[in-house]
Amino acid sequence: MESIRKIITKIEQFAGHQILHADDSPHRLALGIALGFFVAWTPTIGLQMVIVVLLATALRANNRVGIALVWVSNPLTLIPIYLPNYWIGHNILKLFCDRPAPDYSALKQILLELFQFGNFFTHFYQASFWRDMWALFLNVSFDLWIGSLIAGLFLGALSYIISYKSIVWYRTRHPRGRRIFAILQRRRERRKARDS
């Protein structure tokens, strides 16, 4: 119970200091949040932070909030995130072409081998294990990518709308938010005067 309170406190501190009181525009912050959610839902674990930084730089978004949100997808959340993504992709692709039914028994066997610590290292050095992993990856990757892109785009768009409206509401209604909003306005006016 105490650990859950600590997690909630850290989330509140992150939302309060990194998002609501960040020295950045609501659009850039909301776009960083959207990019973080989008990339977190893609099967690019290991490269997600790099992808967020590159996309945030290209789109002029806040990359700090995007990098933090990428950690939503981690080894504990892989199955809850990627299994629905696979299901979405598989069902959408079935509408357009004939797709074989997923082989859940092979997936179950491989997952059992991965999560049984001793078995994993026993099979790790066998070529047949990697051949099965590669076959499974090829069998599910296209469905997974299609579903992940669709779910990521939807969640990214939804998180942009919600976070943008929330940040604007907070900055116009809350006293500390109004102060931050006024500072940002003055900086924008100085930049415009300097550029013209």
Side-chain angles (χ1 to χ4, degrees):
M1 193 67 166
E2 188 64 33
S3 62
I4 293 173
R5 285 189 191 135
K6 286 181 182 177
I7 291 171
I8 291 171
T9 303
K10 286 185 179 187
I11 291 171
E12 288 173 349
Q13 288 172 346
F14 172 76
H17 296 289
Q18 295 295 326
I19 298 173
L20 295 175
H21 296 138
D23 188 15
D24 216 341
S25 71
H27 167 70
R28 285 176 46 97
L29 289 167
L31 192 56
I33 291 168
L35 288 174
F37 272 112
F38 170 71
V39 174
W41 252 254
T42 60
T44 54
I45 290 196
L47 299 172
Q48 289 178 334
M49 290 193 297
V50 174
I51 293 169
V52 164
V53 168
L54 292 173
L55 286 173
T57 303
L59 298 173
R60 295 179 179 245
N62 186 303
N63 60 10
R64 286 183 307 199
V65 292
I67 288 171
L69 285 169
V70 157
W71 286 94
V72 166
S73 67
N74 57 61
L76 297 176
T77 61
L78 286 181
I79 292 174
I81 289 175
Y82 294 143
L83 194 59
N85 290 353
Y86 172 77
W87 182 84
I88 290 167
H90 184 75
N91 286 313
I92 286 176
L93 288 173
K94 267 188 357 186
L95 296 173
F96 300 106
C97 60
D98 187 30
R99 299 292 293 168
D103 185 8
Y104 289 112
S105 61
L107 177 63
K108 182 180 176 184
Q109 182 62 34
I110 288 174
L111 288 175
L112 284 174
E113 289 176 9
L114 284 174
F115 288 112
Q116 291 175 351
F117 190 73
N119 273 351
F120 176 74
F121 287 105
T122 304
H123 297 294
F124 187 78
Y125 297 106
Q126 296 176 354
S128 61
F129 173 76
W130 290 106
R131 200 169 31 249
D132 292 345
M133 288 291 285
W134 182 249
L136 177 69
F137 174 74
L138 291 177
N139 189 26
V140 303
S141 64
F142 194 60
D143 302 297
L144 179 62
W145 268 101
I146 295 295
S148 295
L149 290 174
I150 290 169
L153 285 170
F154 173 75
L155 287 171
L158 185 65
S159 66
Y160 177 85
I161 293 166
I162 291 171
S163 58
Y164 181 81
K165 289 182 182 276
S166 299
I167 293 167
V168 168
W169 176 85
Y170 177 82
R171 288 186 175 180
T172 55
R173 300 281 194 284
H174 195 272
R176 288 173 71 188
R178 284 195 299 267
R179 191 172 61 237
I180 291 167
F181 190 69
I183 291 168
L184 290 173
Q185 286 293 102
R186 284 195 298 270
R187 285 185 183 169
R188 273 192 225 111
E189 289 168 5
R190 276 190 231 129
R191 267 190 236 126
K192 282 182 185 177
R194 191 176 55 222
D195 291 341
S196 57

